[in-house]
Amino acid sequence: MLRGALWFGLGPGLLGRGLGTHRGGSTLGKAEGSGGCRGSGVSPVSSHVTFRTRGPGPRWEDSGSLGAGDWDGKVSEFKKKIQSILPGGARSPLCDTSHLPPEHSDVVIVGGGVVGLSVAYWLKRLEKQQGAIRVLVVERDHTYSQASTVLSVGGIRQQFSLPENIQLSLFSVEFLRNINEYLAVVDDPPLDLQFNPSGYLFLASEEGATIMENNVKVQRQEGAKVCLMSPEQLRKKFPWINTEGVALASYGLENEGWFDPWCLLQGLRRKVQSMGVLFCHGEVTRFVSSSNHMETASGEKVTLKRIHEVHVKVDHSQEYQPVECAVVVNAAGAWSGRIAELAGIGKGPPGTLQGTKLPVEPRKRYVYLWHCPQGPGLEAPLVADPSGAYFRREGLGNNYLGGCSPSEEEEPDPGNLEVDHDFFQEKVWPHLARRVPAFEALKVRRAWAGYYDYNTFDQNGVVGPHPLVVNMYFATGFSGHGLQQAPAVGRAVAEVMLEGRFQTINLSPFLFSRFYLGEKAQERYII
């Protein structure tokens, strides 16, 4: 049965089996080859390679007759260049290649946000021998100006409907609370995440009350500290809330709140660099793969692929660098669907495993910051209204962050990060003002937009290997909760790569194969 083949079936992890890159000669400055399979989107390994030169060689300018001093200077300069390329000589490259990625890396991680950095961290932390695994992180937005990480509201919660999501966030909050035990770097200052454990407060209508009760039961079974509150209890604890239309509320008593996403990002980046992880500012444009055809027990023909080379186009250049590798991790967030297509994923007959796409796409979400002098005080949690609107405090000056996810019909164009201010006026503010009467008099101070790596299938993460592109692993599709689950997801991906299976948290419901099998791991609590 194909289902049996899809159920992992990896045995020892790819890296655990000692699968390394094919070491070859220098290939700096290769140009794109023209070979490959037409229409496949993936080129096989080929010996036909076109080389692009870096430009004309050094030119000697005729500057007229040279004096003795000038001639000695020219000879001295020439000697230095010769010595720099001789064995044992002081290395001073004739061409600066520091902006290029290495020619070989055991693991190439596509995406340098918190999820990709967490995978890099756990690979290095769990490697059997220090320095055994060479890891390269490729990030196209080196300023992180459009990164989902830094544009989020920085929340963390255990109030999910699926046990796996609860377990991921329980570990992640332990990681965050002990951040300097995990990410400390010698001689660098400690990290201050500014974690605010004010909790999450979910409100449910009469229609959603039973679902909330069932969810809280699951959350408690997994170890989360969550209590249910009646409208009367809600008014007593938070008198600024209007409980009209609220039948029940769930409140996180501990380990929920918000923190500084930029601090976590920089802390992970600093730590993995100290562990020897390499970085490249560039964009992955191509994968070079080999193929192997096979037939399943049920008679279905499938093609197994293995990526051997990643092509990285460096910033501000038409030049690209091929990187030989053993494993690729797709942690490209909102753009991971494009990376999957580059690897040939989903390019097959509809209804087949070969034709099953990674259903992750960018969805634009607005975040608004407003000021309200009489708004909720320091005890205010992050409040999630039944309408979909949410808000939390920001700092100590009666400022608040919030927004609302649009309906499917109202989804904005993800082609840019422009903010729709009318959306706040028409879709967000009326719900806020109804729930918190003080918000009738608020003033929006600024707003921005960011991306969700939105899984259109079931709004849950995709974690683990692809069943056909056997050395591509996923860590994407979290639909808004990737930041808070990144520490645990990175550990899970590293475990599968090194040991061949999930060890601490079983995330098999999040495998890619569920898209082909039609088995949704539906998460109800998406903000």
Side-chain angles (χ1 to χ4, degrees), residues 303-322:
T303 301
L304 300 181
K305 293 182 179 179
R306 181 178 298 279
I307 297 169
H308 298 288
E309 199 171 81
V310 179
H311 289 186
V312 180
K313 179 179 172 294
V314 296
D315 278 357
H316 311 299
S317 172
Q318 293 304 310
E319 186 178 43
Y320 85 95
Q321 166 72 9

Side-chain angles (χ1 to χ4, degrees), residues 29 54 56 66 95 152 185 188 230 272 286 296 354 358 411 525:
R54 293 190 180 280
L66 293 171
C95 291
S152 73
V185 175
D188 280 356
S230 67
V272 299
R286 187 185 181 208
T296 66
Q354 203 89 40
L358 176 67
E411 281 291 346
Y525 276 11

Side-chain angles (χ1 to χ4, degrees), residues 20-28 30 51 102-105 134 308-309 321-325:
T21 59
H22 301 285
R23 304 297 178 187
S26 174
T27 52
L28 284 175
K30 277 185 184 176
F51 287 85
E103 297 176 20
H104 311 279
S105 184
R134 195 179 201 192
H308 298 288
E309 199 171 81
Q321 166 72 9
V323 181
E324 292 184 9
C325 64

Side-chain angles (χ1 to χ4, degrees), residues 109-113 115-116 138-140 148 329-340 360 453 473 475-477:
I109 299 174
V110 186
V115 174
V138 180
E139 170 58 47
R140 67 176 186 172
S148 300
V329 179
N330 186 346
W335 318 113
S336 55
R338 294 183 185 178
I339 298 300
V360 177
D453 54 338
Y473 288 73
T476 187

Side-chain angles (χ1 to χ4, degrees), residues 77-368:
E77 181 183 346
F78 184 69
K79 282 183 176 180
K80 288 179 180 178
K81 288 184 177 180
I82 294 298
Q83 288 173 350
S84 72
I85 60 174
L86 291 176
R91 187 72 177 164
S92 176
L94 302 180
C95 291
D96 178 17
T97 60
S98 60
H99 64 293
L100 294 173
E103 297 176 20
H104 311 279
S105 184
D106 298 308
V107 180
V108 175
I109 299 174
V110 186
V114 289
V115 174
L117 293 175
S118 178
V119 174
Y121 168 77
W122 285 104
L123 281 173
K124 298 302 290 181
R125 181 178 170 115
L126 298 177
E127 64 183 351
K128 303 298 184 184
Q129 180 181 347
Q130 186 175 358
I133 305 173
R134 195 179 201 192
V135 179
L136 170 67
V137 176
V138 180
E139 170 58 47
R140 67 176 186 172
D141 178 16
H142 67 274
T143 65
Y144 292 99
S145 60
Q146 296 189 6
S148 300
T149 298
V150 298
L151 296 172
S152 73
V153 298
I156 184 166
R157 58 186 166 105
Q158 287 81 54
Q159 294 188 65
F160 288 98
S161 61
L162 289 182
E164 292 81 8
N165 281 330
I166 300 166
Q167 293 168 28
L168 287 170
S169 287
L170 280 170
F171 172 75
S172 288
V173 78
E174 187 274 330
F175 184 96
L176 296 179
R177 283 192 172 278
N178 299 283
I179 192 74
N180 287 298
E181 293 182 19
Y182 287 103
L183 301 185
V185 175
V186 176
D187 295 332
D188 280 356
L191 298 169
D192 180 11
L193 286 176
Q194 301 178 49
F195 180 57
N196 188 320
S198 294
Y200 270 61
L201 179 66
F202 281 87
L203 308 179
S205 62
E206 194 72 47
E207 184 182 5
T210 301
I211 293 174
M212 176 173 281
E213 285 184 291
N214 292 335
N215 288 342
V216 169
K217 187 180 298 183
V218 174
Q219 292 156 14
R220 288 172 174 170
Q221 288 172 348
E222 298 300 329
K225 306 297 183 184
V226 182
C227 73
L228 290 170
M229 302 176 72
S230 67
E232 293 74 24
Q233 292 171 318
L234 197 57
R235 284 193 297 269
K236 185 175 181 180
K237 185 168 182 63
F238 304 113
W240 40 265
I241 282 187
N242 171 21
T243 59
E244 180 184 354
V246 175
L248 194 64
S250 62
Y251 178 47
L253 299 174
E254 62 180 52
N255 292 330
E256 291 192 334
W258 52 90
F259 61 95
D260 180 0
W262 179 253
C263 183
L264 176 60
L265 177 73
Q266 292 302 311
L268 277 166
R269 187 178 173 94
R270 183 183 74 175
K271 180 63 176 181
V272 299
Q273 283 180 311
S274 75
M275 301 168 89
V277 171
L278 304 173
F279 283 83
C280 172
H281 300 149
E283 184 174 0
V284 171
T285 59
R286 187 185 181 208
F287 296 108
V288 178
S289 306
S290 60
S291 301
N292 182 32
H293 303 285
M294 64 168 287
E295 188 173 300
T296 66
S298 60
E300 181 178 344
K301 294 180 180 180
V302 296
T303 301
L304 300 181
K305 293 182 179 179
R306 181 178 298 279
I307 297 169
H308 298 288
E309 199 171 81
V310 179
H311 289 186
V312 180
K313 179 179 172 294
V314 296
D315 278 357
H316 311 299
S317 172
Q318 293 304 310
E319 186 178 43
Y320 85 95
Q321 166 72 9
V323 181
E324 292 184 9
C325 64
V327 177
V328 174
V329 179
N330 186 346
W335 318 113
S336 55
R338 294 183 185 178
I339 298 300
E341 287 180 8
L342 284 178
I345 292 170
K347 296 188 175 181
T352 66
L353 182 58
Q354 203 89 40
T356 302
K357 296 179 180 293
L358 176 67
V360 177
E361 64 185 34
R363 293 282 180 98
K364 184 163 71 171
R365 295 293 179 262
Y366 306 121
V367 179
Y368 303 90

